Amino acid sequence: MHQEEHLKSSDFITDMVIGMSDGLTVPFALAAGLSGAVSDNSIILTAGIAEIVAGCIAMGLGGYLAGKTEIEHYQSELSREYQEVDTVPEKEMEEVKEIFAEYGLSTQAQELIATELAKDKTKWVNFMMKFELGLEAPNPARARNSALTIGASYFVGGLLPLSAYLFTNTPEQGLIGSTILTVICLFVFGYFKSKVTGQPPVKGAFKVTLIGLLAAAAAFGIAKLVS
Amino acid sequence: MHQEEHLKSSDFITDMVIGMSDGLTVPFALAAGLSGAVSDNSIILTAGIAEIVAGCIAMGLGGYLAGKTEIEHYQSELSREYQEVDTVPEKEMEEVKEIFAEYGLSTQAQELIATELAKDKTKWVNFMMKFELGLEAPNPARARNSALTIGASYFVGGLLPLSAYLFTNTPEQGLIGSTILTVICLFVFGYFKSKVTGQPPVKGAFKVTLIGLLAAAAAFGIAKLVS
């Protein structure tokens, strides 16, 4: 989503956080929900693994497409800017001036910036991309890396809570083991996530854990109602 | 994620796309996976609804926290910039010059920009926030709106594929109905999503549909293996 904008330096961590946030929460909550509705651990494991695989592919491929779209979008805007700089340079120079007029610069300063920028077409276009459109050149390997990191983090995050149902005999036991395991994982994950995003880590850890528990409690309640 | 950066004008559509992308894919794939593993529609419905509730809360609250974090982060960076402008104005003026040195502006122009910007502290700080840090003032209502839009879209997106299991008698029939319904929904959704993000709509519709079908096929295969 949009919270890790200050983490631009580390796409890997951003992607891991995206994948693991949902991976630790949704399969855990699904399994908790089913624990209140079915009597057999094997159904919970089957559903849990189906969910993990589905979520992994949906999020991983979603991340891949998102990355590809970002690159295509950047390229198409880039050619448009080059074309505008070639065909309507006066209009583009006006746009440069407008950017600085907003920050209270004198017309003399605006004039000077626009004239100097116009001397180097590549730098001018790069300037417009960043300062007019707010776009930065995306890393071409990002799409593939994003897909793999998000997918793998979802997978690992999802298997941890589910593993409790493998080593217990009833959904009740599985739910207890899964909850203990997941609360620990969510707390540790929330702590480090907050640390890398520059938030207070303990507060962040409690928030992340609370979301997981709320999702599980709601899924449990609804599944019990439905069944 | 990061694909809708050019949609900044419409947070609502961005959030709807985020929620519906996953909502149309994951519960459908989970139900498909279970269709190959269990013999009773009611288990699929229970699991599907538990998943939708879990995903809805995880994504909705996740969106809420993300929005809150964004605001806190912006505020903390803002106070830091104000402090820097007060305590080390020369250093901040150097930073302004560096930004423009990168675009090949003369030292005379750099000097002029820095001097003029320094005249109005608020505008100077806003300039540094946007052009040095790449941060824009977040909408304070965004966090709550994000949570509601993402959660509701996930919910609606997830219920559509699942409804087929309510009106059929066996998982096989449910799977057929659900697949037809979901393919239509994914195609229409992919078409409009691509249209609003400025991508070729038919190509985008095929991509989105393909991800949904791949996720469902993988979940089906894995669930059959596990059970």
Side-chain angles (χ1 to χ4, degrees), chain A residues 1-3 5-6 8 15 18 22 25-26 29-30 33-34 37-38 42-43 45-51 53-55 57-59 61-63 65-70 72-73 77 99-109 112-113 116-117 120 123-124 126-127 130-132 134-135 142 146 150 154 193 197 199-200 203 207-208 210-211 214-216 218-219 222-224 226-227, chain B residues 1-3 5-6 8 15 18 22 25-26 29-30 33-34 37-38 42-43 45-51 53-55 57-59 61-63 65-70 72-73 77 99-106 108-109 112-113 116-117 120 123-124 126-127 130-135 142 146 150 154 193 197 199-200 203 207-208 210-211 214-216 218-219 222-224 226-227:
Chain A
M1 324 255 156
H2 40 281
Q3 80 266 49
E5 288 189 343
H6 44 301
K8 275 194 178 118
D15 290 336
I18 291 172
D22 285 4
T25 310
V26 183
L30 167 68
L34 284 176
V38 302
S42 74
I43 292 174
L45 280 167
T46 306
I49 289 169
E51 208 285 336
V53 169
I57 291 179
M59 290 196 75
L61 279 183
L65 279 196
K68 282 286 174 210
T69 304
E70 198 186 350
E72 284 167 21
H73 177 63
E77 294 289 340
I99 293 172
F100 293 102
E102 252 185 70
Y103 291 97
L105 263 61
S106 67
T107 42
Q108 185 214 349
L112 185 63
I113 299 169
E116 290 202 5
L117 264 182
D120 183 329
K123 283 179 176 162
W124 190 10
N126 285 340
F127 178 89
K130 186 161 176 196
F131 291 76
E132 187 200 356
L135 294 174
R142 178 79 207 272
S146 247
I150 293 176
Y154 191 89
K193 175 189 160 179
T197 56
Q199 300 299 307
K203 195 178 153 202
K207 278 187 195 167
V208 167
L210 192 68
I211 292 185
L214 273 177
I222 296 280
K224 220 170 177 103
V226 171
S227 72
Chain B
M1 321 257 155
H2 40 277
Q3 80 267 48
E5 288 190 343
H6 45 300
K8 275 193 178 120
D15 289 337
I18 290 172
D22 285 3
T25 309
V26 183
L30 168 67
L34 285 175
V38 302
S42 75
I43 293 175
L45 281 167
T46 306
I49 289 169
E51 207 285 336
V53 170
I57 291 179
M59 290 195 76
L61 280 184
L65 279 194
K68 283 285 174 211
T69 304
E70 198 185 349
E72 284 167 21
H73 177 63
E77 293 289 338
I99 292 173
F100 292 102
E102 251 184 70
Y103 291 97
L105 262 61
S106 65
Q108 185 213 349
L112 185 64
I113 299 169
E116 292 202 3
L117 263 181
D120 184 328
K123 282 181 178 162
W124 189 11
N126 285 340
F127 179 88
K130 186 159 174 199
F131 294 105
E132 187 201 355
L133 302 174
L135 295 173
R142 177 78 206 273
S146 245
I150 293 177
Y154 192 90
K193 175 190 160 180
T197 56
Q199 300 299 306
K203 196 179 152 200
K207 277 187 196 168
V208 168
L210 192 68
I211 291 185
L214 273 178
I222 296 281
K224 219 169 177 106
V226 171
S227 71

